[in-house]
Amino acid sequence: MASLAQQFEGLRCSPLSSSRFWVKPKKTRKVSAFAFPIVSAVADAQTKARLELKQVFEDAYERCRTAPMEGVSFTLDDFQTALEKYDFDSEIGTKVKGTVFCTDANGALVDITAKSSAYLSVQEASIHRIKHVEEAGIVPGMRDEFVIIGELEADDSLVLSLRSIQYELAWERCRQLQAEDVVVKGKIVGGNKGGVVALVEGLRGFVPFSQISSKSTAEDLLDKELPLKFVEVDEEQSRLVLSNRKAMADSQAQLGIGSVVLGTVQSLKPYGAFIDIGGVNGLLHVSQISHDRVSDIATVLQPGDTLKVMILSHDRERGRVSLSTKKLEPTPGDMIRNPTLVFEKAEEMAQTFRQRIAQAEAMARADMLRFQPESGLTLSGDGELGPLTSDLPPEGLDLSDVPEAEDSEFILLFLLLCSAILASFEPLTTLQGVS
């Protein structure tokens, strides 16, 4: 058997260059001889920079370890002084200045220069009930004085209040108003069987029914404003007592007889109409509505109507005021036919009425003085009283500004009656003088 070498000797393979599996060798990239020095220079520069930075950190570390205050002008004493200067007192009740920098539906965050921001809740933002702090004017950038009322355990932040400061100011304001005996407006916000609760200066005060001028229930007065005066102001006992009756007496003292005021019809009765004239209830009697007879008040007035009325009289003790539109009529019956004209001419007619009353009073008083020679006065033809002695001015006394009486018509009748009585006794006085 021939050997394997001999068997395969006659076999021949095709050249590789003609095979489809032949791969073209890659070209070798030639590197310039000048590139090696540049790369080497860059690497050396980076290494040098790292070494220099390392040396800087090592030097700084050594200085901090061995001489930390070397070259520093701010000493430890200066630091202690700064701490004392800006020492923050976080005790409850301390008042601090702060600036609001954030608000939300629940409250506001305030910068009080402490280690953390302080919190102002919406409940502590105002003495009044509000739903959002912005209703009380608390907006970012607002700076005000706050009082510390607590601390949050979660993050040790402080809790602030504006309500506490406003509460103290409100009591101080009420004490001042009481001392000055001022009439204030109070809104009725509640009540019980003993009286009503009024909101005054942001505080809740009590008004007993005995101190309310009108016979009204708590339901009738709810959400209404009443004129009030302070009876008792005690901050320590949180006791604030008010009176509507005293305020009404003060208001009635300002109502001059013959003055014209604006009123609103409250209710109608068969005998007249009750008119509200600035918190005071007055009676416009059916006989004082018009010179013409009024058989049914509802044909002339209705509840809610606004009209001008003239003050005829008032009882300060009982709080009763008598009113009239009859005296304001330019011609009889105008209140029924043309009430607008009556209201337009109201001041003019009232002035005329007051002048007539003043003249009548002056004449009645002059008649009385005529029968009293010891008074030392004489009556001139112009209606002026002149002196018999040099103690009075030679031009006499002008009676054009005679003070108005509480009820001019009744005073006039009384003076005329006195004059008639004195006149009837004149012969008897003369006879006694002769004897």
Side-chain angles (χ1 to χ4, degrees):
M1 175 181 291
S3 63
L4 291 175
Q6 294 176 348
Q7 293 179 10
F8 289 99
E9 184 180 359
L11 296 178
R12 295 290 185 268
C13 295
S14 59
L16 291 176
S17 58
S18 60
S19 172
R20 58 175 179 170
F21 299 104
W22 179 78
V23 178
K24 184 178 182 181
K26 294 183 179 180
K27 293 182 179 181
T28 303
R29 183 178 181 180
K30 294 182 180 181
V31 180
S32 174
F34 298 99
F36 290 103
I38 296 175
V39 173
S40 178
V42 172
D44 292 343
Q46 291 178 348
T47 302
K48 184 178 179 181
R50 291 190 184 97
L51 292 175
E52 291 177 353
L53 184 60
K54 179 181 178 181
Q55 187 62 38
V56 169
F57 279 108
E58 289 178 351
D59 294 343
Y61 172 76
E62 187 65 20
R63 285 197 307 271
C64 291
R65 188 178 66 84
T66 58
M69 300 302 296
E70 181 181 355
V72 178
S73 60
F74 190 76
T75 65
L76 290 175
D77 293 337
D78 295 335
F79 181 69
Q80 184 64 31
T81 303
L83 289 178
E84 293 176 356
K85 181 179 179 181
Y86 296 98
D87 186 22
F88 187 80
D89 188 1
S90 60
E91 293 292 330
I92 293 178
T94 303
K95 293 182 179 180
V96 295
K97 290 284 187 178
T99 304
V100 177
F101 66 88
C102 180
T103 62
D104 57 23
N106 298 320
L109 293 177
V110 184
D111 178 16
I112 54 175
T113 65
K115 61 181 179 180
S116 62
S117 59
Y119 182 69
L120 175 70
S121 66
V122 66
Q123 293 81 9
E124 294 294 333
S126 174
I127 195 173
H128 302 283
R129 293 183 179 180
I130 57 176
K131 295 182 179 180
H132 197 281
V133 292
E134 292 186 356
E135 296 179 25
I138 301 174
V139 295
M142 186 203 79
R143 183 170 178 81
D144 206 338
E145 187 177 49
F146 305 84
V147 61
I148 301 174
I149 61 172
E151 184 177 355
L152 294 177
E153 297 180 357
D155 54 0
D156 294 334
S157 62
L158 299 175
V159 180
L160 305 178
S161 174
L162 277 175
R163 179 177 177 273
S164 299
I165 297 178
Q166 295 174 0
Y167 193 74
E168 295 176 1
L169 294 176
W171 279 106
E172 180 62 29
R173 176 64 174 163
C174 289
R175 285 192 293 268
Q176 180 181 0
L177 293 174
Q178 182 190 29
E180 296 176 358
D181 198 29
V182 176
V183 176
V184 298
K185 287 286 188 179
K187 184 178 180 179
I188 306 303
V189 295
N192 52 40
K193 62 180 181 180
V196 294
V197 178
L199 197 63
V200 178
E201 297 292 330
L203 302 176
R204 297 168 70 89
F206 183 68
V207 187
F209 280 124
S210 61
Q211 293 298 321
I212 298 178
S213 59
S214 61
K215 294 182 179 179
S216 303
T217 63
E219 291 76 13
D220 297 335
L221 299 174
L222 193 63
D223 294 329
K224 291 184 178 180
E225 286 191 347
L226 295 180
L228 302 167
K229 273 194 172 185
F230 294 93
V231 176
E232 183 179 357
V233 180
D234 189 348
E235 182 179 0
E236 294 182 358
Q237 302 293 331
S238 296
R239 182 176 175 83
L240 185 64
V241 182
L242 306 156
S243 173
N244 170 249
R245 190 176 294 277
K246 286 187 175 183
M248 288 298 97
D250 185 77
S251 299
Q252 291 175 8
Q254 306 300 324
L255 299 177
I257 302 302
S259 60
V260 177
V261 294
L262 193 66
T264 303
V265 179
Q266 296 294 311
S267 61
L268 302 179
K269 302 295 181 182
Y271 51 85
F274 285 97
I275 313 295
D276 178 15
I277 49 175
V280 180
N281 284 326
L283 175 63
L284 177 61
H285 196 269
V286 63
S287 62
Q288 288 295 331
I289 295 178
S290 175
H291 284 84
D292 289 357
R293 184 175 181 274
V294 178
S295 56
D296 186 4
I297 301 177
T299 60
V300 183
L301 301 173
Q302 288 293 326
D305 288 350
T306 301
L307 69 163
K308 289 183 178 180
V309 292
M310 189 177 73
I311 308 295
L312 283 183
S313 64
H314 68 269
D315 186 344
R316 292 187 179 90
E317 294 182 358
R318 297 184 179 182
R320 296 179 180 177
V321 181
S322 298
L323 308 172
S324 175
T325 53
K326 173 181 177 179
K327 305 296 184 184
L328 303 178
E329 289 184 324
T331 56
D334 281 346
M335 190 60 195
I336 299 176
R337 295 186 295 270
N338 190 4
T340 303
L341 178 62
V342 176
F343 302 149
E344 290 177 355
K345 300 287 186 179
E347 284 77 10
E348 180 181 343
M349 296 302 298
Q351 179 64 23
T352 303
F353 175 79
R354 289 193 294 268
Q355 290 176 353
R356 291 201 306 264
I357 294 299
Q359 291 173 0
E361 289 179 351
M363 293 177 61
R365 292 180 183 180
D367 287 341
M368 293 181 65
L369 292 172
R370 184 177 301 161
F371 302 105
Q372 298 178 3
E374 65 276 9
S375 64
L377 298 177
T378 59
L379 184 67
S380 68
D382 297 330
E384 295 183 352
L385 290 177
L388 290 177
T389 64
S390 59
D391 296 336
L392 295 176
E395 64 273 11
L397 299 177
D398 187 3
L399 295 182
S400 60
D401 296 328
V402 177
E404 298 173 5
E406 292 187 3
D407 193 337
S408 302
E409 294 179 339
F410 287 104
I411 293 295
L412 176 60
L413 292 176
F414 175 77
L415 292 175
L416 292 175
L417 179 60
C418 292
S419 177
I421 293 174
L422 289 174
S424 64
F425 284 122
E426 183 178 7
L428 179 59
T429 304
T430 305
L431 291 174
Q432 290 176 349
V434 174
S435 61

